[in-house]
Amino acid sequence: MISNRELFLQNTAQTSNSPRLVEVEKAEGIYLYGPQGQRYMDLVSGFNVSNIGHRHPKVLAAIQDQLDKYLHVTVYGEFVQAPQVQFATKLLEVLPTSFASVYFTNSGAEAVEGSMKIAKKFTGRRQILAAEQAYHGSTQGALSLIGNDEYRNAYAPLLPEIDFIRFNDSTSLDKITQETASVIIETIQGEAGVRVPDQAFMHALRAKCDETGALLIFDEIQTGFGRTGKMFAFEHFDVVPDILMLAKGIGGGMPLGAFVARKEIMDVIKDNPMLGHITTFGGHPVSCAAARASLQVIQDEQLLNTVATKAALFRRLLNTAKIKEIRGLGLMMCLQLETFEQVYAVSNYCASEGLMIDWYLHCETALRIAPPLTITSEEIEKACKIILDGIEKFC
Ligand code: PLP
């Protein structure tokens, strides 16, 4: 019989020549299980998705409840679907009051696409600025914002009138002018290898957008839903964007994205032309039911209060000169090594010892650490010991 691994290589599109090829039979809490009973501690959270762990019972119950009612019933924006309405309302409750309208999508990249469209339409301008080394997704609009020539050039021509500022460098903010529709920026850059900006840059960015009338759009697709110890990373900087883009951790493991804005900004979408931005599956009722339950879990289990202590424990235990730098905020962390070969060898060693870690798209010389926020101190101790053993062996 042909194995699933062979069928994967044969029949499903490959996104690289070196897939991880770990077969998953089941996932529960912070663990992934293979078909031969292998167990891996998941320190990647399915790439910042499983913030409350895999298959949280409350999320499963909400999904089951919705399965008994309805699945897809119509395209987004027509029928009143309680899971969408209830989750949008709950989401707005944890956001600053300026946010008043939620548009649900299937993914992060689609949230980026929608945000770019409303920014252009609201301002009547066309230029969009992003940051060098940014990652906002792989659709052609989102790819236009990727701050990396290699990825952009491979699929050029992309969107016109896109330019780049340097992340966390206030001297490059002069590029924001009265021609600029919006500045789209990750609140903390993820794929660049977890770059945390300073307060001064974030305040200067907000001020420059206010001065020029450009809309400030934060991508919290990786940083959202407690990852950094606040519900949203912008809360660390005391700066509120005009549009907020969400996905990944929003759905408790189900596919969902959203962009959220002030009402007058979002309202540009509904006419001239009507139905100018629509989606069939965006805001799927099962995903929205899961998302509402997941947000409730973050609140009920008071997960935000535990993140800083857990992050401090990681930093204390990962104490070796062979790690050049530990960057990050909360449980969005990055261990800077020297070469990709070291990163590859250490992550393979960790996998062989039952620990899943990874690296970053634009920073292949650093290890990615982003465990479910539910990880315990004992599990952190165990994980750090394996990582240190790997670093000792291969660096
Ligand atoms: N924005 C950021 C910061 C991301 O990390 C990602 C995905 O990794 C995206 C956008 C795109 O999200 P999706 O893969 O759901 O389209």
Side-chain angles (χ1 to χ4, degrees), residues 11-33:
N11 295 345
T12 70
Q14 298 298 300
T15 55
S16 79
N17 289 318
S18 51
R20 293 304 291 265
L21 284 178
V22 170
E23 189 169 348
V24 181
E25 178 100 344
K26 190 172 169 161
E28 191 98 60
I30 72 156
Y31 294 99
L32 307 171
Y33 297 89

Side-chain angles (χ1 to χ4, degrees), residues 83-326:
Q84 285 175 354
V85 178
Q86 294 296 324
F87 178 52
T89 306
K90 189 165 178 60
L91 183 58
L92 292 176
E93 279 166 15
V94 297
L95 284 168
T97 49
S98 55
F99 290 107
S101 185
V102 183
Y103 190 111
F104 288 120
T105 65
N106 299 279
S107 67
E110 281 178 78
V112 176
E113 300 291 337
S115 299
M116 283 196 276
K117 283 172 72 176
I118 56 171
K120 284 176 167 178
K121 193 133 185 277
F122 182 75
T123 59
R125 306 174 185 178
R126 289 295 172 261
Q127 186 200 43
I128 295 179
L129 296 178
E132 288 174 8
Q133 287 201 296
Y135 182 74
H136 297 288
S138 282
T139 52
Q140 294 203 62
L143 191 61
S144 305
L145 307 174
I146 204 168
N148 180 323
D149 287 341
E150 187 190 350
Y151 285 86
R152 262 201 325 271
N153 293 343
Y155 297 97
L158 296 169
L159 283 185
E161 300 196 49
I162 306 282
D163 201 357
F164 293 88
I165 59 172
R166 284 186 301 279
F167 191 76
N168 203 24
D169 180 352
S170 301
T171 63
S172 75
L173 297 179
D174 283 346
K175 283 198 171 176
I176 307 171
T177 68
Q178 292 186 346
E179 305 287 303
T180 310
S182 69
V183 181
I184 299 187
I185 200 158
E186 292 155 272
T187 317
I188 294 171
Q189 281 197 319
E191 296 310 312
V194 190
R195 310 283 164 175
V196 183
D198 51 46
Q199 293 272 347
F201 171 76
M202 295 300 254
H203 284 264
L205 175 62
R206 178 69 270 183
K208 192 73 183 174
C209 288
D210 288 342
E211 183 194 315
T212 56
L215 295 181
L216 181 56
I217 305 182
F218 280 169
D219 180 337
E220 293 252 5
I221 288 165
Q222 269 200 46
T223 49
F225 296 93
R227 173 60 47 201
T228 67
K230 303 261 188 202
M231 191 62 84
F232 303 104
F234 69 78
E235 296 169 44
H236 291 284
F237 303 100
D238 210 16
V239 167
V240 177
D242 299 297
I243 302 175
L244 182 65
M245 310 191 296
L246 303 168
K248 287 190 182 278
I250 192 175
M254 293 293 284
L256 188 67
F259 53 102
V260 192
R262 295 198 301 274
K263 189 117 182 81
E264 74 268 23
I265 298 176
M266 194 67 89
D267 274 353
V268 299
I269 230 168
K270 67 183 180 191
D271 49 22
N272 298 319
M274 67 182 286
L275 304 176
H277 189 76
I278 48 179
T279 163
T280 300
F281 283 127
H284 193 282
V286 179
S287 295
C288 284
R292 180 163 173 245
S294 177
L295 183 49
Q296 192 67 51
V297 167
I298 295 173
Q299 292 173 323
D300 291 349
E301 297 185 9
Q302 300 189 0
L303 291 178
L304 303 185
N305 297 339
T306 69
V307 170
T309 314
K310 290 175 182 177
L313 182 57
F314 266 108
R315 283 172 181 264
R316 184 162 64 74
L317 295 174
L318 291 171
N319 181 16
T320 163
K322 290 186 170 172
I323 300 175
K324 303 292 155 214
E325 187 186 7
I326 301 183

